[in-house]
Amino acid sequence: MSLWSELNRNVFKRTSTFALVVAGGTFFFERTFEVISVGIFESINKGKLWKDIKHKYEE
Amino acid sequence: MAATVGRICGARLLKNYGLVGPQVCQLSTNAQGWTKSRKLLLSTLGVIGGGAGALLFALEQSVDASGTEAHPYHQPWSHNGLFQALDHASVRRGYEVYKQVCKACHSLQYVAFRNLVNVTHTEAEAKAEAAEVMIKDGPDEEGNYFERPGKLSDYFPSPYPNENAARAANNGAYPPDLSLIVLGRKGGEDYIFSLLTGYTEPPAGVVLREGQNYNPYFPGGAIAMAQVLFDEAAEYSDGTPATASQLAKDVSTFLRWCSEPELDDRRLMTIKAIGIFSTLAAIVYYYKRHKWSTLKSRKLAYKPVSKK
Protein backbone atom coordinates (compact mmCIF):
# COMPACT_ATOMS: atom_id res chain seq x y z
CA MET A 1 0.00 0.00 0.00
CA SER A 2 1.50 3.28 -1.05
CA LEU A 3 1.98 6.19 1.27
CA TRP A 4 -0.57 8.28 -0.58
CA SER A 5 -3.45 5.84 -0.27
CA GLU A 6 -2.49 5.24 3.36
CA LEU A 7 -2.80 9.00 3.97
CA ASN A 8 -6.02 9.13 2.07
CA ARG A 9 -7.59 6.34 4.09
CA ASN A 10 -6.48 7.43 7.53
CA VAL A 11 -6.46 11.22 7.31
CA PHE A 12 -8.31 12.82 4.42
CA LYS A 13 -11.43 10.69 4.44
CA ARG A 14 -12.70 11.80 7.82
CA THR A 15 -13.51 15.50 8.19
CA SER A 16 -12.33 15.69 11.80
CA THR A 17 -8.82 14.40 11.03
CA PHE A 18 -8.68 16.37 7.80
CA ALA A 19 -9.50 19.63 9.62
CA LEU A 20 -6.92 18.80 12.26
CA VAL A 21 -4.25 18.24 9.61
CA VAL A 22 -5.19 21.52 7.89
CA ALA A 23 -4.89 23.47 11.15
CA GLY A 24 -1.63 21.79 12.15
CA GLY A 25 -0.19 22.08 8.65
CA THR A 26 -1.02 25.77 8.55
CA PHE A 27 0.81 26.35 11.83
CA PHE A 28 3.97 24.54 10.76
CA PHE A 29 3.93 26.01 7.25
CA GLU A 30 3.53 29.56 8.57
CA ARG A 31 6.32 29.14 11.12
CA THR A 32 8.77 27.66 8.60
CA PHE A 33 7.88 30.21 5.94
CA GLU A 34 8.23 33.14 8.36
CA VAL A 35 11.57 31.95 9.72
CA ILE A 36 12.97 31.39 6.21
CA SER A 37 11.73 34.77 4.89
CA VAL A 38 13.05 36.72 7.87
CA GLY A 39 16.33 34.82 7.60
CA ILE A 40 16.72 35.83 3.94
CA PHE A 41 15.78 39.45 4.76
CA GLU A 42 18.25 39.67 7.62
CA SER A 43 21.09 38.09 5.67
CA ILE A 44 20.55 40.51 2.75
CA ASN A 45 20.47 43.50 5.13
CA LYS A 46 23.19 42.40 7.51
CA GLY A 47 24.68 45.35 9.40
CA LYS A 48 21.91 47.80 8.45
CA LEU A 49 19.11 46.72 10.78
CA TRP A 50 18.42 47.93 14.29
CA LYS A 51 19.20 44.49 15.72
CA ASP A 52 22.70 44.76 14.25
CA ILE A 53 23.49 48.09 15.88
CA LYS A 54 21.49 47.98 19.10
CA HIS A 55 24.28 46.35 21.11
CA LYS A 56 26.13 49.67 20.87
CA TYR A 57 23.40 51.53 22.72
CA GLU A 58 22.15 49.04 25.28
CA GLU A 59 23.74 48.84 28.72
CA MET B 1 -22.53 35.92 -3.37
CA ALA B 2 -21.71 33.21 -5.88
CA ALA B 3 -25.36 32.20 -5.94
CA THR B 4 -26.42 35.75 -6.75
CA VAL B 5 -23.91 36.00 -9.57
CA GLY B 6 -25.10 32.65 -10.87
CA ARG B 7 -28.76 33.68 -10.76
CA ILE B 8 -28.15 36.95 -12.61
CA CYS B 9 -25.80 35.81 -15.33
CA GLY B 10 -25.70 32.04 -15.06
CA ALA B 11 -26.52 31.35 -18.66
CA ARG B 12 -23.96 33.84 -19.88
CA LEU B 13 -21.21 32.29 -17.76
CA LEU B 14 -21.78 28.96 -19.43
CA LYS B 15 -21.84 30.35 -22.92
CA ASN B 16 -18.68 29.80 -24.97
CA TYR B 17 -17.40 33.08 -26.35
CA GLY B 18 -14.58 31.39 -28.22
CA LEU B 19 -12.07 32.63 -25.63
CA VAL B 20 -11.41 29.33 -23.91
CA GLY B 21 -8.43 28.47 -26.01
CA PRO B 22 -7.27 27.03 -29.28
CA GLN B 23 -7.74 23.43 -28.15
CA VAL B 24 -11.47 23.78 -27.61
CA CYS B 25 -11.83 25.79 -30.81
CA GLN B 26 -10.15 23.07 -32.76
CA LEU B 27 -12.37 20.45 -31.24
CA SER B 28 -15.52 22.09 -32.46
CA THR B 29 -16.44 23.23 -35.92
CA ASN B 30 -18.91 25.60 -34.29
CA ALA B 31 -16.43 27.99 -32.69
CA GLN B 32 -15.19 30.56 -35.16
CA GLY B 33 -12.93 32.51 -32.79
CA TRP B 34 -13.47 36.23 -32.54
CA THR B 35 -15.96 37.94 -34.80
CA LYS B 36 -14.86 40.80 -37.00
CA SER B 37 -16.64 43.49 -34.96
CA ARG B 38 -15.20 42.14 -31.72
CA LYS B 39 -11.68 42.25 -33.18
CA LEU B 40 -12.28 45.81 -34.38
CA LEU B 41 -13.60 46.93 -30.98
CA LEU B 42 -10.72 45.42 -29.04
CA SER B 43 -8.02 46.75 -31.35
CA THR B 44 -9.59 50.23 -31.24
CA LEU B 45 -9.62 50.10 -27.44
CA GLY B 46 -5.99 48.96 -27.44
CA VAL B 47 -4.86 51.74 -29.75
CA ILE B 48 -6.74 54.41 -27.73
CA GLY B 49 -5.38 53.13 -24.40
CA GLY B 50 -1.80 52.90 -25.64
CA GLY B 51 -2.02 56.32 -27.30
CA ALA B 52 -3.34 57.97 -24.13
CA GLY B 53 -0.53 56.43 -22.09
CA ALA B 54 2.12 57.58 -24.56
CA LEU B 55 0.62 61.09 -24.65
CA LEU B 56 0.64 61.38 -20.85
CA PHE B 57 4.26 60.19 -20.74
CA ALA B 58 5.31 62.68 -23.44
CA LEU B 59 3.49 65.56 -21.70
CA GLU B 60 5.12 64.70 -18.39
CA GLN B 61 8.56 64.60 -20.03
CA SER B 62 8.04 67.97 -21.73
CA VAL B 63 6.88 69.55 -18.46
CA ASP B 64 10.06 68.22 -16.86
CA ALA B 65 12.18 69.69 -19.63
CA SER B 66 10.45 73.09 -19.71
CA GLY B 67 11.33 74.22 -16.17
CA THR B 68 14.43 76.09 -15.17
CA GLU B 69 15.27 73.96 -12.17
CA ALA B 70 18.00 71.33 -12.17
CA HIS B 71 16.91 67.71 -11.78
CA PRO B 72 18.36 65.80 -8.87
CA TYR B 73 20.92 63.11 -9.61
CA HIS B 74 19.92 59.59 -8.53
CA GLN B 75 22.02 58.74 -5.51
CA PRO B 76 23.00 55.16 -4.68
CA TRP B 77 20.94 54.99 -1.48
CA SER B 78 21.56 51.93 0.63
CA HIS B 79 17.80 51.33 0.74
CA ASN B 80 17.42 51.33 -3.06
CA GLY B 81 16.30 48.00 -4.41
CA LEU B 82 13.53 45.49 -3.83
CA PHE B 83 15.00 43.85 -0.74
CA GLN B 84 17.13 46.61 0.78
CA ALA B 85 16.14 47.85 4.23
CA LEU B 86 16.95 51.27 5.65
CA ASP B 87 20.41 51.75 7.15
CA HIS B 88 19.39 52.32 10.76
CA ALA B 89 22.75 53.72 11.81
CA SER B 90 22.26 56.38 9.13
CA VAL B 91 18.68 57.05 10.29
CA ARG B 92 19.98 57.56 13.81
CA ARG B 93 22.62 60.03 12.61
CA GLY B 94 19.94 61.76 10.53
CA TYR B 95 17.85 62.19 13.65
CA GLU B 96 20.82 63.89 15.30
CA VAL B 97 21.10 66.25 12.32
CA TYR B 98 17.37 67.03 12.48
CA LYS B 99 17.63 67.68 16.21
CA GLN B 100 20.66 69.97 15.91
CA VAL B 101 19.90 71.79 12.66
CA CYS B 102 16.46 71.38 11.05
CA LYS B 103 14.44 71.51 14.27
CA ALA B 104 15.10 75.25 14.61
CA CYS B 105 12.59 76.00 11.82
CA HIS B 106 10.90 72.79 10.65
CA SER B 107 8.26 70.86 12.55
CA LEU B 108 7.95 67.07 12.43
CA GLN B 109 4.50 66.86 13.87
CA TYR B 110 3.45 63.35 12.79
CA VAL B 111 6.45 61.56 14.30
CA ALA B 112 6.35 60.67 18.00
CA PHE B 113 9.23 59.81 20.32
CA ARG B 114 7.79 56.31 20.72
CA ASN B 115 8.39 55.78 16.98
CA LEU B 116 12.14 55.98 17.61
CA VAL B 117 12.06 52.98 19.95
CA ASN B 118 13.74 49.94 18.38
CA VAL B 119 14.31 51.85 15.15
CA THR B 120 17.07 54.27 16.06
CA HIS B 121 17.05 54.37 19.85
CA THR B 122 16.51 52.04 22.75
CA GLU B 123 13.50 52.72 24.93
CA ALA B 124 15.62 54.34 27.65
CA GLU B 125 17.34 56.59 25.08
CA ALA B 126 14.03 57.59 23.49
CA LYS B 127 12.65 58.47 26.93
CA ALA B 128 15.70 60.64 27.56
CA GLU B 129 15.24 62.33 24.15
CA ALA B 130 11.59 63.03 24.98
CA ALA B 131 12.43 64.38 28.43
CA GLU B 132 14.74 66.97 26.86
CA VAL B 133 11.86 68.91 25.27
CA MET B 134 9.03 70.81 26.94
CA ILE B 135 5.50 69.94 25.80
CA LYS B 136 2.54 72.24 26.23
CA ASP B 137 -0.21 70.39 28.05
CA GLY B 138 -3.45 71.18 29.77
CA PRO B 139 -5.89 72.34 30.90
CA ASP B 140 -5.18 71.33 34.49
CA GLU B 141 -7.69 71.40 37.37
CA GLU B 142 -7.73 75.19 37.39
CA GLY B 143 -8.07 75.45 33.62
CA ASN B 144 -4.52 76.61 32.95
CA TYR B 145 -2.16 75.34 30.27
CA PHE B 146 1.26 74.34 31.47
CA GLU B 147 4.51 72.94 30.21
CA ARG B 148 5.94 69.58 31.19
CA PRO B 149 8.87 67.43 30.06
CA GLY B 150 7.98 65.17 27.12
CA LYS B 151 6.97 61.54 27.36
CA LEU B 152 7.34 58.70 24.85
CA SER B 153 3.79 59.20 23.62
CA ASP B 154 4.36 62.87 22.71
CA TYR B 155 4.83 63.98 19.13
CA PHE B 156 7.82 66.14 18.18
CA PRO B 157 7.13 69.70 19.28
CA SER B 158 6.86 72.33 16.53
CA PRO B 159 9.22 75.31 16.62
CA TYR B 160 6.37 77.77 16.00
CA PRO B 161 2.88 77.74 17.53
CA ASN B 162 1.17 78.21 14.13
CA GLU B 163 1.79 78.96 10.46
CA ASN B 164 1.47 82.73 10.86
CA ALA B 165 4.14 82.81 13.53
CA ALA B 166 6.38 80.66 11.30
CA ARG B 167 5.89 83.03 8.34
CA ALA B 168 6.50 86.11 10.48
CA ALA B 169 9.76 84.66 11.74
CA ASN B 170 10.97 83.58 8.30
CA ASN B 171 10.49 86.57 6.04
CA GLY B 172 7.05 85.41 4.91
CA ALA B 173 8.12 81.93 3.88
CA TYR B 174 6.65 78.91 5.65
CA PRO B 175 9.12 76.13 6.52
CA PRO B 176 7.14 73.00 5.56
CA ASP B 177 6.51 70.18 8.00
CA LEU B 178 9.05 67.44 7.32
CA SER B 179 7.01 64.38 8.35
CA LEU B 180 6.01 63.44 4.80
CA ILE B 181 8.36 65.64 2.81
CA VAL B 182 10.15 62.80 0.99
CA LEU B 183 6.87 61.48 -0.39
CA GLY B 184 5.57 65.01 -0.98
CA ARG B 185 8.39 66.24 -3.24
CA LYS B 186 9.19 64.95 -6.70
CA GLY B 187 12.47 63.08 -6.60
CA GLY B 188 12.11 62.09 -2.93
CA GLU B 189 15.34 61.82 -0.99
CA ASP B 190 17.39 62.55 -4.14
CA TYR B 191 15.71 65.97 -4.23
CA ILE B 192 16.27 66.59 -0.51
CA PHE B 193 19.95 65.66 -0.82
CA SER B 194 20.48 67.80 -3.94
CA LEU B 195 18.66 70.74 -2.37
CA LEU B 196 20.67 70.62 0.83
CA THR B 197 24.01 70.38 -0.96
CA GLY B 198 23.16 72.40 -4.08
CA TYR B 199 23.36 76.03 -2.91
CA THR B 200 25.37 78.21 -5.29
CA GLU B 201 25.91 81.87 -6.10
CA PRO B 202 23.06 83.15 -8.29
CA PRO B 203 24.01 83.19 -11.99
CA ALA B 204 24.16 86.51 -13.81
CA GLY B 205 20.73 88.00 -14.45
CA VAL B 206 18.99 86.33 -11.52
CA VAL B 207 17.84 88.94 -9.04
CA LEU B 208 17.09 87.76 -5.54
CA ARG B 209 15.11 89.72 -3.01
CA GLU B 210 16.33 90.19 0.51
CA GLY B 211 16.36 86.98 2.52
CA GLN B 212 16.32 84.79 -0.55
CA ASN B 213 19.02 82.37 -1.61
CA TYR B 214 19.74 80.71 -4.92
CA ASN B 215 19.36 76.96 -5.31
CA PRO B 216 19.13 75.45 -8.81
CA TYR B 217 17.19 72.41 -7.54
CA PHE B 218 14.39 74.51 -6.05
CA PRO B 219 11.60 75.27 -8.53
CA GLY B 220 12.08 78.95 -9.42
CA GLY B 221 15.59 79.01 -7.98
CA ALA B 222 14.88 81.51 -5.19
CA ILE B 223 14.53 79.76 -1.86
CA ALA B 224 14.00 81.40 1.51
CA MET B 225 15.95 78.75 3.36
CA ALA B 226 19.65 79.53 3.58
CA GLN B 227 22.33 76.91 3.27
CA VAL B 228 22.49 75.21 6.67
CA LEU B 229 24.61 72.13 6.14
CA PHE B 230 28.31 72.88 6.22
CA ASP B 231 31.14 70.62 7.32
CA GLU B 232 30.84 70.18 11.08
CA ALA B 233 27.41 71.84 11.15
CA ALA B 234 26.24 69.06 13.47
CA GLU B 235 27.94 66.55 15.72
CA TYR B 236 27.58 62.79 15.43
CA SER B 237 27.61 60.69 18.57
CA ASP B 238 29.10 57.69 16.75
CA GLY B 239 32.18 59.56 15.56
CA THR B 240 31.36 59.64 11.83
CA PRO B 241 33.10 62.63 10.18
CA ALA B 242 30.36 65.27 9.84
CA THR B 243 30.98 66.52 6.32
CA ALA B 244 28.22 68.48 4.61
CA SER B 245 27.38 65.63 2.23
CA GLN B 246 27.39 63.08 5.05
CA LEU B 247 24.95 65.28 7.01
CA ALA B 248 22.72 65.68 3.96
CA LYS B 249 22.78 61.94 3.21
CA ASP B 250 21.90 60.98 6.78
CA VAL B 251 19.12 63.54 7.17
CA SER B 252 17.64 62.45 3.82
CA THR B 253 17.63 58.83 4.98
CA PHE B 254 16.03 59.92 8.26
CA LEU B 255 13.32 61.86 6.41
CA ARG B 256 12.68 58.85 4.19
CA TRP B 257 12.12 56.84 7.36
CA CYS B 258 9.77 59.56 8.69
CA SER B 259 7.73 59.48 5.48
CA GLU B 260 7.78 55.73 5.14
CA PRO B 261 8.41 54.05 8.50
CA GLU B 262 6.98 50.82 7.10
CA LEU B 263 9.73 50.55 4.46
CA ASP B 264 11.53 47.63 6.14
CA ASP B 265 8.26 45.75 6.54
CA ARG B 266 7.49 46.27 2.89
CA ARG B 267 10.89 44.92 1.84
CA LEU B 268 10.29 41.85 4.00
CA MET B 269 6.78 41.54 2.55
CA THR B 270 8.29 41.53 -0.97
CA ILE B 271 10.35 38.48 -0.07
CA LYS B 272 7.31 36.78 1.46
CA ALA B 273 5.08 37.61 -1.50
CA ILE B 274 7.59 36.17 -3.97
CA GLY B 275 7.78 33.00 -1.88
CA ILE B 276 4.02 32.57 -1.47
CA PHE B 277 3.10 33.45 -5.03
CA SER B 278 5.70 31.13 -6.55
CA THR B 279 4.37 28.30 -4.38
CA LEU B 280 0.82 29.11 -5.46
CA ALA B 281 1.87 29.34 -9.10
CA ALA B 282 3.41 25.88 -8.91
CA ILE B 283 0.24 24.48 -7.34
CA VAL B 284 -2.01 26.14 -9.91
CA TYR B 285 0.19 24.88 -12.74
CA TYR B 286 0.04 21.32 -11.44
CA TYR B 287 -3.71 21.55 -10.85
CA LYS B 288 -4.33 22.85 -14.37
CA ARG B 289 -2.31 20.01 -15.90
CA HIS B 290 -4.17 17.58 -13.67
CA LYS B 291 -7.62 18.80 -14.68
CA TRP B 292 -6.82 19.15 -18.35
CA SER B 293 -5.13 15.77 -18.69
CA THR B 294 -8.44 14.04 -19.44
CA LEU B 295 -9.44 16.71 -21.91
CA LYS B 296 -6.11 16.64 -23.74
CA SER B 297 -5.75 12.89 -23.90
CA ARG B 298 -9.25 12.08 -25.05
CA LYS B 299 -10.02 10.83 -28.51
CA LEU B 300 -13.19 11.58 -30.41
CA ALA B 301 -14.26 8.75 -32.64
CA TYR B 302 -16.89 9.06 -35.30
CA LYS B 303 -18.79 5.83 -35.59
CA PRO B 304 -20.95 5.71 -38.67
CA VAL B 305 -24.31 4.11 -38.33
CA SER B 306 -23.99 0.81 -40.08
CA LYS B 307 -26.21 0.23 -43.06
CA LYS B 308 -27.80 -3.12 -43.16
Side-chain angles (χ1 to χ4, degrees), chain B residues 162-301:
Chain B
N162 52 56
E163 182 177 340
N164 289 5
R167 282 192 189 281
N170 287 291
N171 220 355
Y174 176 48
D177 183 77
L178 295 183
S179 314
L180 295 167
I181 201 82
V182 168
L183 297 182
R185 293 289 180 272
K186 195 174 180 193
E189 58 268 61
D190 289 326
Y191 168 76
I192 307 288
F193 180 87
S194 302
L195 189 83
L196 289 173
T197 53
Y199 283 88
T200 55
E201 287 297 308
V206 172
V207 184
L208 297 174
R209 283 184 293 170
E210 205 190 317
Q212 288 191 324
N213 303 276
Y214 184 76
N215 192 313
Y217 296 98
F218 190 71
I223 183 170
M225 176 177 146
Q227 181 173 5
V228 285
L229 293 187
F230 302 97
D231 292 348
E232 312 295 331
E235 261 179 51
Y236 284 139
S237 60
D238 63 358
T240 309
T243 59
S245 60
Q246 179 75 39
L247 295 168
K249 176 232 161 193
D250 288 334
V251 83
S252 302
T253 314
F254 171 67
L255 291 176
R256 173 68 186 255
W257 170 75
C258 292
S259 300
E260 214 177 334
E262 75 282 12
L263 189 90
D264 289 2
D265 288 335
R266 292 176 57 173
R267 301 301 198 226
L268 175 57
M269 199 53 75
T270 309
I271 294 174
K272 285 187 185 174
I274 289 175
I276 276 288
F277 282 120
S278 44
T279 315
L280 288 179
I283 292 172
V284 168
Y285 178 70
Y286 173 78
Y287 197 67
K288 187 260 168 189
R289 302 264 302 185
H290 177 68
K291 286 289 166 188
W292 278 67
S293 58
T294 47
L295 191 68
K296 285 199 160 192
S297 58
R298 75 179 174 180
K299 281 181 181 168
L300 299 179

Side-chain angles (χ1 to χ4, degrees), chain B residues 93-167:
Chain B
R93 289 194 297 271
Y95 167 73
E96 288 169 357
V97 178
Y98 170 77
K99 189 178 148 192
Q100 294 170 36
V101 182
C102 320
K103 201 173 92 167
C105 298
H106 289 279
S107 58
L108 197 64
Q109 55 180 337
Y110 298 115
V111 181
F113 288 102
R114 63 183 161 77
N115 297 133
L116 300 177
V117 176
N118 289 348
V119 175
T120 58
H121 292 70
T122 62
E123 191 173 334
E125 283 177 318
K127 275 183 183 158
E129 291 291 328
E132 277 178 27
V133 300
M134 295 303 281
I135 303 284
K136 196 180 173 193
D137 201 356
D140 61 7
E141 285 160 356
E142 280 139 35
N144 300 316
Y145 287 89
F146 58 94
E147 295 222 317
R148 58 165 174 80
K151 294 183 288 193
L152 270 189
S153 56
D154 287 315
Y155 285 79
F156 283 61
S158 303
Y160 305 108
N162 52 56
E163 182 177 340
N164 289 5
R167 282 192 189 281

Side-chain angles (χ1 to χ4, degrees), chain A residues 29-30 33-34 36-42 44-45 47-51 53-54 56-59, chain B residues 78-79 83-89 92 118-122 125 238 264 267-268 271-272 275-276:
Chain A
F29 174 76
E30 197 277 342
F33 188 77
E34 173 81 16
I36 291 173
S37 310
V38 170
I40 294 172
F41 178 74
E42 284 177 355
I44 289 176
N45 293 298
K48 281 157 70 180
L49 301 171
W50 168 246
K51 70 182 268 284
I53 59 166
K54 74 174 173 188
K56 287 190 240 170
Y57 306 110
E58 276 173 341
E59 295 92 46
Chain B
S78 62
H79 51 269
F83 310 127
Q84 298 297 328
L86 286 164
D87 183 356
H88 286 242
R92 186 185 167 104
N118 289 348
V119 175
T120 58
H121 292 70
T122 62
E125 283 177 318
D238 63 358
D264 289 2
R267 301 301 198 226
L268 175 57
I271 294 174
K272 285 187 185 174
I276 276 288

Side-chain angles (χ1 to χ4, degrees), chain B residues 53-69 71 186:
Chain B
L55 181 70
L56 280 178
F57 179 73
L59 283 177
E60 210 260 340
Q61 293 292 98
S62 69
V63 167
D64 260 2
S66 64
T68 52
E69 73 268 19
H71 297 291
K186 195 174 180 193

Side-chain angles (χ1 to χ4, degrees), chain A residues 2 6 11 14-15 22 26 30 34-35 39 41-42 48 50 55:
Chain A
S2 74
E6 194 99 323
V11 178
R14 199 174 309 168
T15 307
V22 167
T26 311
E30 197 277 342
E34 173 81 16
V35 166
F41 178 74
E42 284 177 355
K48 281 157 70 180
W50 168 246
H55 63 271

